[in-house]
Amino acid sequence: MQAHDKLFIPGPVEVSEKTWEAFRRPMIGHRGEDFKNLYRDIHPKLQTLFGTKQPVFLSTSSAWGAMEASIRNLVSKRVLCCMCGAFSDKWLDVARRCGKNAEPLQVEWGKHIDHKDVDLALASGKFDAVTLIHNETSTGVMNPLPEICCVLAKYPDVALIVDTVSSFSAVKIDMDALGIDVMLTGAQKALALPPGFSLFAVSEKAFARAEKQKGRGFYFDFLEFKKEQAEWMTPSTPSIGHIFALQSKLDEILEEGLDARFDRHAGTNALVHNWVRRAGFDFFAEEGFRSKTLTCVKNNRGIEVLAFAKRLREKHHLVIDPGYGKLRGQTFRLSNMGDETGETALHLISCLEDTLRSMNI
């Protein structure tokens, strides 16, 4: 049999056999009581993870579907796009392709979004929405969400849309307490599910905005999601396998305990960070604003990153990312999200060290 190459990339991450078994359960109809009971079971658990009393919606799409939905449902006047990496930068293009007026709040890659800059921009009165990626996967930056949310509290007419794709369930995020209007995430990051599915929750303020908004479409219309969720259904055919897998994963998460889960991610992240320092590398993200779910390693030693990643895969059957977009070769990214433990993080580190030695680096 061909050896399995385990993923330590920042998504999709490794999916456990237990999760795959849940994904492969016998099919059920999505308009019957079996599906309604499935949704009823997972919904309060999702509310706990989101930190919300609002309904949580199931979307058979990547998180970009929910991101575009947020733009279509909420932006009427102008949206401020907080941009600090490849994925947050893409928000601007998405908003403009949706026919919206959008302006960038751009910082250098590797830097964080400063809440003071957000405040200054919103004081202009030009904006009715803000997009923010909590954890910028391309650079390993985790933006200061509480501070930015405190700024948004000063502007009640501005809707805050937050992408928590690579931080959700790995760090504590309380949607209601923070005043987030749309909080969205994907399946394939810390939730450790197969890709192709996303989750999102919407505030009452955002629903009220959507009611007045033209051109919401159908597939991602917030009001359609709300209407169908009230009957424990989805607006269109869902990926039932994903929801079975999600049910299994939610039970795992709550059995582990949220605080223990958050601590586990912080611990595995610290192990990787310690190795980065010990190996003589640096971090691409600035100190104090580094992700807890992945590490973007700066190639300050000038190694051949693509050759390094290739050798690691060939020798140890571990897959890492050799840098995203314009950072390819200048960085490499190591994930610790999902089901990874101290033991698996130490195994990754041992294999990284062995690969460097074998290449005389």
Side-chain angles (χ1 to χ4, degrees):
M1 290 180 62
Q2 183 177 355
H4 170 64
D5 293 334
K6 180 176 178 179
L7 301 178
F8 279 97
I9 59 176
V13 302
E14 198 70 12
V15 177
S16 72
E17 188 56 37
K18 181 178 180 181
T19 299
W20 279 122
E21 284 299 319
F23 193 93
R24 292 191 289 261
R25 287 176 192 164
M27 194 51 53
I28 59 175
H30 69 288
R31 293 296 185 225
E33 287 302 314
D34 287 344
F35 182 81
K36 291 181 180 182
N37 289 333
L38 176 61
Y39 203 162
R40 283 191 189 100
D41 178 68
I42 66 172
H43 190 257
K45 301 167 189 177
L46 287 172
Q47 288 178 309
T48 297
L49 271 184
F50 273 80
T52 187
K53 295 180 180 179
Q54 293 296 105
V56 179
F57 302 124
L58 312 176
S59 177
T60 301
S61 69
S62 73
W64 276 111
M67 294 160 85
E68 181 168 325
S70 301
I71 295 293
R72 291 188 178 275
N73 280 264
L74 298 186
V75 179
S76 178
K77 187 164 57 175
R78 188 179 299 269
V79 58
L80 178 70
C81 298
C82 299
M83 297 160 54
C84 60
F87 299 104
S88 50
D89 287 9
K90 193 173 180 179
W91 271 106
L92 186 71
D93 182 44
V94 170
R96 288 175 174 171
R97 289 194 191 197
C98 289
K100 307 297 183 179
N101 291 318
E103 290 187 14
L105 194 168
Q106 179 81 67
V107 300
E108 181 185 350
W109 284 24
K111 304 296 183 183
H112 72 285
I113 300 296
D114 192 320
H115 68 281
K116 295 176 184 177
D117 293 335
V118 177
D119 196 1
L120 185 63
L122 295 184
S124 68
K126 295 190 299 182
F127 302 100
D128 61 357
V130 172
T131 66
L132 175 74
I133 287 187
H134 179 213
N135 196 64
E136 174 52 71
T137 321
S138 67
T139 64
V141 168
M142 182 171 281
N143 284 306
L145 186 57
E147 290 86 344
I148 294 171
C149 288
C150 282
V151 167
L152 266 293
K154 295 169 54 179
Y155 302 95
D157 294 331
V158 179
L160 176 60
I161 305 163
V162 181
D163 167 335
T164 66
V165 169
S166 58
S167 57
F168 180 79
S169 85
V171 300
K172 185 178 178 64
I173 309 171
D174 284 333
M175 175 181 168
D176 290 354
L178 291 169
I180 297 170
D181 292 301
V182 179
M183 179 168 154
L184 61 96
T185 192
Q188 76 281 10
K189 305 284 187 174
L191 281 175
L193 303 177
F197 199 74
S198 58
L199 308 162
F200 66 99
V202 178
S203 73
E204 287 299 328
K205 181 174 88 175
F207 281 130
R209 174 82 62 83
E211 287 177 357
K212 301 174 184 177
Q213 188 77 2
K214 296 180 180 180
R216 297 190 307 270
F218 170 76
Y219 195 85
F220 292 116
D221 182 354
F222 285 174
L223 302 184
E224 287 289 337
F225 273 95
K226 185 179 184 181
K227 180 180 72 174
E228 296 294 339
Q229 190 275 336
E231 301 296 327
W232 303 109
M233 290 191 291
T234 56
S236 52
T237 307
S239 175
I240 294 169
H242 274 100
I243 303 171
F244 280 142
L246 176 62
Q247 182 185 44
S248 175
K249 181 58 65 176
L250 289 171
D251 289 341
E252 278 186 42
I253 289 171
L254 295 178
E255 182 179 352
E256 180 180 16
L258 291 183
D259 288 340
R261 182 177 177 82
F262 301 152
D263 289 345
R264 176 168 58 81
H265 278 84
T268 52
N269 187 252
L271 288 173
V272 175
H273 281 208
N274 289 339
W275 174 78
V276 170
R277 298 184 185 96
R278 203 167 62 240
F281 289 107
D282 203 349
F283 300 93
F284 189 78
E286 60 182 320
E287 188 174 359
F289 301 94
R290 291 172 187 154
S291 170
K292 295 292 190 294
T293 60
L294 68 118
T295 304
C296 188
V297 184
K298 189 175 183 180
N299 185 21
N300 54 294
R301 290 180 56 183
I303 70 170
E304 292 291 335
V305 169
L306 272 67
F308 174 53
K310 182 180 179 183
R311 179 70 67 87
L312 179 70
R313 184 169 190 166
E314 290 173 346
K315 189 172 185 184
H316 295 289
H317 301 287
L318 302 181
V319 184
I320 64 171
D321 180 82
Y324 190 88
K326 68 182 184 181
L327 298 181
R328 190 172 179 83
Q330 300 176 40
T331 62
F332 57 94
R333 298 183 299 163
L334 309 172
S335 167
N336 63 282
M337 66 181 80
D339 297 330
E340 303 309 330
T341 64
E343 182 180 359
T344 62
L346 289 172
H347 175 65
L348 169 64
I349 289 167
S350 174
C351 294
L352 291 169
E353 291 175 341
D354 180 71
T355 303
L356 288 172
R357 283 194 301 270
S358 72
M359 296 177 69
N360 296 315
I361 296 174

